[in-house]
Amino acid sequence: MKLFAREKQELPIADHFKADGSRWSLKEKLLLGLSFDDYRQQLLRNPFNWLILIVFAVGLPIIAQRFLFGLGSVTHASNDYPWGLFLAFGLFGMVPLSASGFMLGTTVELFGRKDFHPIERLALLNGLLGYFFAVVYLQVDLGMPWRLPYPMFVSLGPAAVLFLVAWHVATYLSVQVAEVLPSFFEWLGWLKGKRMIRSMVLGLTVAGIILSTLHQGALGALFTYAPGKLHPLWMSANFQWIHFLTSAVFGGLSMLIVVSTFSKWFLAWRCDHHFLESLDKLTLGLAKGATFAMITYLGIKFIAIAHDKEWVYLFTGWGQYFLLELTIGVFIPMMLFAFAVRNGNARMARVAAFIGVFGVLWNRINTALISFNWHMYQEIPYWKEAVITITIFTLYLVTYRFILYRLPILYEWKGDK
Amino acid sequence: MLSLKTAKAAGDFDHYPDSMGVLVDVNRCVGCRSCEAACNKEQGLPEPEKPFNDYSVFDEGHEGGGHGGVGRRTDETRYTVVNKYEVPEIDHPLYRKSQCNHCLEPACLTSCFVNAYTKTPEGAVIYNPDVCVGCRTCMIACPFYVPAFKYSSAFSPRVMKCIFCYDTRLKEGRPPACVEACPQEAMTFGKRFDLLEIGRKRIRQHPDKYVNHIYGEKEAGGTAWMYLSPVEFGEVGFDVHVPHEPVINFVRDFLSIVPMVLVIWPALFAGFHLLANRKDAQHNHDDIDREGGE
């Protein structure tokens, strides 16, 4: 696509009209303004697409196996570890990394920081896709996925934490759809729809904060149902939800830096100068936010240890692993972020963001899988479970790329808005 | 004054006063597995690979060993299992039966977001497969690792667990199949309140034969099935770290902040919005460039 964009003036599409004044049809917009042959050619030329093809070739049959022969055919069917990789990575990992939507929505719409506008849509899309695929992972993991709406409409158990998660993720998903719709309407050229959403943006944003605070926290609070099963260092009845909420703040910001970095590297043809030129400055802005969240997180982590009187655990093997997680996953990226902000070094902030994303994922996997049943044996997921996890993640990447190629996320629509 | 009283009563749910329970005496169990066979038949579970008189199963572990390093656990083919324990103090092995303990405030029930579980006034914790979504949070929450999942099924999976023979026996006041099948009278069926008395009496009369603790009196906030043991409970496969209060107590902190966030956040953030955009309102179109992050 890079090549085509260089050759033809009118590509990539950022307007309703071609160079000759005629209108792009929807089909042409979907094909990125290329002829069908050109489109196919650029697909085949990209080596990354071959990699995707291989992942799907291996992964999709295994996903089919899961739905035809049950969870037991693709996992270890463990009764001791009822939650495996699908939830540890897909739900507990993806959701905090998708906090970017509500963070940037709040920053721009609520606090009036219009300078973050160029990256706001990317943040919202990152949020939407992250949540959507968290639900996809959940659907793979649920025993009866066809009963997904049961907690909403059929049999309600409102006193359970998961009830809150279900409702909030569902409502927040619709809020995020609404928040991303304006870019879709611009692309489609349906301005009435866009104006309609604009008129309720403040309400949507406030709803986003409420729902995010509660369900990010609730994901942590789910583990308070297993106070004796998690290692005490990863479990705090009083603070678990704050741990999950604060780490989601820097997780979401780091993820946004990561995604914007990938966009800059691989999708430069699609970004407009507005995005590319302000990106370094915005990255540092996000880095600053992430630093504060990380300091807060470390503070609460140690307050929780003091509160539960768990200092003695720090001197065990588990304690060293815990400190390793905090050092690599939080402390090092925090220092890097801080230096980056201080020296105006966006590249360093990007390195920090990659580590920060890894740190949040590592924490969630440690909480849900490694420290879980710490006094028993360690469950190592079956390879098919890992393949399914990777396949769905690839599907996420493909969807992500499909949307970024087309909708005005990384660029501003030149036509009517 | 009155309102304070009712509030307190609601907070300390006193459980069903006449609920039934079973007292298991580890001293008396000889590991004959009659209870396993009876349960299998009563609940219509699949015939196991090894027959119930095959005692080599005691050498099996489930992956990694489970609590105390030995033993099988309940799964989709068995609601109750007996495990063997060699303890140094006693010259013969000890056996311990495990099944759902039917908590007074069950963690599975309180964690379930579709109300698939019910604690009946008779004392059983029963499960409704028709509303279950298969999220398996109950299995995460159960401090005794009891509920199992029918992982083998793609189209009709469900949670599999002991239901105290509720629909076939307990409802009519009869003891569960396993209790009736026991040739050693290792299990006593009765009102939980009376069982505690019986347990205490046995400990008092034979202090040499029992440790001074009834497992299940306080564990997880109290259970309907309770145990007496001649050795420390940890030695015969019990998790002695199970908290002495209902699991839901650990979740209450979070549950209590939910309404506050719901009510306070809208006003708080709408206020922030007004404050943050105050300058814009004052200097209209005055493009103020502010640096920095959040």
Side-chain angles (χ1 to χ4, degrees), chain A residues 131 135 138 148-175 207 210-212 214-216 218-219, chain B residues 113-114 258 262:
Chain A
Y131 275 86
V135 176
L138 179 71
L148 189 68
Y150 271 37
M152 273 93 180
F153 306 112
V154 178
S155 180
L156 282 64
V161 172
L162 202 61
F163 182 80
L164 191 133
V165 176
W167 268 93
H168 284 205
V169 169
T171 22
Y172 188 47
L173 206 54
S174 10
V175 167
I210 299 169
L211 296 171
S212 296
L214 286 177
H215 71 240
Q216 294 282 2
L219 284 179
Chain B
F113 72 152
V114 288
V258 174
L262 281 174

Side-chain angles (χ1 to χ4, degrees), chain B residues 212-267:
Chain B
N212 187 13
H213 181 67
I214 303 175
Y215 191 94
E217 179 180 6
K218 297 205 173 82
E219 277 75 8
T223 57
W225 281 64
M226 295 173 291
Y227 293 84
L228 292 175
S229 166
V231 293
E232 291 301 327
F233 281 91
E235 291 184 69
V236 278
F238 289 89
D239 185 352
V240 290
H241 301 294
V242 168
H244 281 202
E245 51 183 317
V247 163
I248 190 67
N249 284 6
F250 292 86
V251 190
R252 288 218 163 105
D253 268 349
F254 173 72
L255 291 176
S256 64
I257 67 127
V258 174
M260 287 198 270
V261 170
L262 281 174
V263 177
I264 299 171
W265 260 218

Side-chain angles (χ1 to χ4, degrees), chain A residues 217 220-221 223-224 230 234-244 367:
Chain A
F223 290 101
T224 57
L230 265 73
W234 279 272
M235 160 67 211
S236 162
N238 309 82
F239 297 99
Q240 197 79 352
W241 71 274
I242 312 184
H243 288 158
F244 270 55
T367 308

Side-chain angles (χ1 to χ4, degrees), chain A residues 100-101 105 119-129 176 179-180:
Chain A
S100 61
I119 209 168
E120 186 196 2
R121 282 189 170 172
L122 184 61
L124 294 175
L125 179 70
N126 181 61
L128 172 63
L129 290 179
Q176 297 201 85
E179 285 179 325
V180 173

Side-chain angles (χ1 to χ4, degrees), chain B residues 63-276:
Chain B
E63 177 163 8
H67 294 290
V70 275
R72 303 172 299 145
R73 63 155 289 165
T74 53
D75 62 26
E76 60 180 273
T77 64
R78 52 196 182 198
Y79 290 165
T80 184
V81 289
V82 177
N83 281 315
K84 183 167 103 173
Y85 302 89
E86 306 276 359
V87 289
E89 301 95 305
I90 298 179
D91 53 5
H92 60 85
L94 291 171
Y95 298 91
R96 173 239 168 160
K97 174 186 187 295
S98 52
Q99 70 298 306
C100 174
N101 288 329
H102 299 276
C103 302
L104 303 183
E105 283 188 58
C108 53
L109 184 153
T110 45
S111 71
C112 181
F113 72 152
V114 288
N115 275 340
Y117 289 94
T118 311
K119 174 80 177 171
T120 75
E122 296 88 345
V125 178
I126 56 171
Y127 162 80
N128 176 7
D130 295 332
V131 297
C132 176
V133 178
C135 71
R136 309 194 291 288
T137 310
C138 49
M139 297 163 64
I140 293 278
C142 175
F144 303 111
Y145 294 85
V146 166
F149 195 69
K150 202 169 167 187
Y151 283 107
S152 60
S153 169
F155 301 106
S156 56
R158 52 165 292 174
V159 164
M160 306 289 281
K161 95 179 234 320
C162 155
I163 53 164
F164 214 147
C165 290
Y166 177 73
D167 34 10
T168 48
R169 292 163 163 269
L170 187 68
K171 214 162 49 180
E172 297 147 19
R174 290 163 58 215
C178 55
V179 172
E180 219 168 64
C182 181
Q184 292 293 315
E185 292 181 20
M187 292 174 269
T188 315
F189 172 75
K191 283 187 184 165
R192 183 175 187 270
F193 184 80
D194 300 335
L195 293 177
L196 279 169
E197 284 304 310
I198 295 173
R200 288 196 197 102
K201 202 169 136 200
R202 262 188 229 169
I203 294 172
R204 210 164 43 236
Q205 285 173 345
H206 305 280
D208 51 320
K209 271 175 76 182
Y210 297 100
V211 290
N212 187 13
H213 181 67
I214 303 175
Y215 191 94
E217 179 180 6
K218 297 205 173 82
E219 277 75 8
T223 57
W225 281 64
M226 295 173 291
Y227 293 84
L228 292 175
S229 166
V231 293
E232 291 301 327
F233 281 91
E235 291 184 69
V236 278
F238 289 89
D239 185 352
V240 290
H241 301 294
V242 168
H244 281 202
E245 51 183 317
V247 163
I248 190 67
N249 284 6
F250 292 86
V251 190
R252 288 218 163 105
D253 268 349
F254 173 72
L255 291 176
S256 64
I257 67 127
V258 174
M260 287 198 270
V261 170
L262 281 174
V263 177
I264 299 171
W265 260 218
L268 191 66
F269 282 90
F272 283 153
H273 175 67
L274 293 175
L275 287 173

